[in-house]
Amino acid sequence: MSRKTPSISSIWQSLGPRFLPFADAATTELPLGRLLRLSLFQISVGMAMVLLTGTLNRVMIVELGVPAWLVGLMVSLPIIFAPFRALIGLKSDTHRSVLGWRRVPYIWFGTLMQFGGFAILPFALLVLTGQGHGSAIWGEIGAGLAFLLIGAGINTTQTAGLALASDLASDDTRPRVVALLYVMLLLGMVASALVFGSLLSDFTAVELIQIIQAVAVITVVLNSIAMWKQEARNPKLTSRSLPHTSFAEAWQTFSRAGRAKRLLVAVGLGTAGFSMQDILLEPFGGQVFGMSVGQTTWLTATLAAGTLTGFALSARKLGRGGDPYRLASLGLLVGIAAFAGVIFSPLLNLSAVFQTSSFFIGLGSGLFSVGMLTAAMDLASSGSGAVSGFALGAWGGVQATAAGMAVGVSGMLRDGISGLAVHGDLGAAFSGPSGGYVVVYQIEIVLLFATLAVIGPMVRGGNRQKNRLPGFGLAQYPG
């Protein structure tokens, strides 16, 4: 057995970089085992995202009868903290502590906020179902508070965790290390969606509460393992004498770049166009095609699989020197076709068309996100080091804020249009259960066309920056 070990090891080492994406990100200082352990915090974030934007929003709208506008508002509450991601990163950079830790305190307190939100949520759901004490308004308030805490925890944990990964990685491997962490987030979303869908194939409120409680415990365990002995204590980095760039100075430097504002406008419009369907995908499947909770949860897995495929295609395209603006435009075109497929699926009475379109929505979103992020990184790399992190933070802030606003507005639009359709104010074409959803999907198509118009001059504007960052453009991805 010992004679075969060297040959097996050599074969594994030769196959690893080819068949395991980003396996070459490991170094002697940051071996693959330690890197994979660090990535566990992304698994916990993926679980929370699937539970909030997938399973819970469908259950609250369809099974519990909570108005879609209220659910949309709750799901958008975590996005309130998204604009503060750059501030969280700055605070972790300049954290003052006699212990010499900068990132670990933020990861830990973010974990505690996630746990607190998941601890409150089951009691709120009990009140909403009528099995608890008190009126339903208290359940709605409790659910809103839970979503708020979970969102704050996700943003804090992920921002500090990605910063820690960036600290531990070398300059050459940093893009691939952080890229690996984000791929782990998507894999965590896919795995969680599959598990939740299987467990909720025969839905009961008790099973849902048990899943939420399990996610709370698993989050603490995974994040504790992820940050254990990862950050070395260094009091010099937490000294009060260290200078740092203010937000006002960073914004002035960033806004002087020629394409900066147009880039942020495109990011906002495109993200809103892809995100309005986030809380409508599963309810659409449940109300229009009569899918079960387990079946609609699989839709979230399909969407995440499409996004992961988009990242893989982006890696191939950008690795060969492709234009990120053209890549983003391709993603927009794929998204427009996918939303058109969703609109026509109830007319054709084909759920397979709807499910296939869900995959291509994720694919288009992945292509667009990576293309625009790479463009932001190219823009940042052309400026000073002080503005580089701020450019990526601005990208993440605009992206997350636009997503949150789109989710909140989509629920209100769906409820308002469905109410008009019930009274026959919109005609026979919108009288069915799909009427409100279809209008929202049509608005998304308009937003994607508007994004194409904004990106157009940048596509025609010339070649990419020659000093692009290494990797395929996911380094320091703000989530």
Side-chain angles (χ1 to χ4, degrees), residues 142-174:
L145 177 60
F147 276 71
L148 193 64
L149 282 173
I150 295 170
I154 289 174
N155 283 284
T156 303
T157 299
Q158 193 174 51
T159 300
L162 291 175
L164 176 58
S166 182
D167 293 340
L168 296 176
S170 63
D171 292 339
D172 294 336
T173 62
R174 185 172 295 117

Side-chain angles (χ1 to χ4, degrees), residues 157-217:
T157 299
Q158 193 174 51
T159 300
L162 291 175
L164 176 58
S166 182
D167 293 340
L168 296 176
S170 63
D171 292 339
D172 294 336
T173 62
R174 185 172 295 117
R176 293 188 294 276
V177 166
V178 182
L180 170 63
L181 293 178
Y182 194 72
V183 170
M184 292 297 289
L185 170 66
L186 295 179
L187 292 178
M189 293 178 65
V190 172
S192 299
L194 295 177
V195 172
F196 295 160
S198 299
L199 294 177
L200 292 174
S201 56
D202 296 321
F203 172 78
T204 64
V206 174
E207 288 181 349
L208 177 62
I209 290 173
Q210 290 174 339
I211 289 175
I212 295 173
Q213 292 172 332
V215 169
V217 176

Side-chain angles (χ1 to χ4, degrees), residues 64-97:
L64 302 183
V66 180
W69 72 266
L70 182 58
V71 177
L73 181 62
M74 290 181 183
V75 174
S76 65
L77 284 176
I79 312 300
I80 291 177
F81 292 91
F84 299 100
R85 292 182 77 108
L87 178 61
I88 293 171
L90 178 63
K91 291 296 185 181
S92 67
D93 286 337
T94 60
H95 183 64
R96 303 298 180 244
S97 172

Side-chain angles (χ1 to χ4, degrees), residues 434-454:
S434 64
Y437 296 101
V438 167
V439 172
V440 174
Y441 287 123
Q442 290 174 338
I443 293 174
E444 290 185 283
I445 291 177
V446 172
L447 288 174
L448 296 187
F449 272 118
T451 310
L452 278 173
V454 175

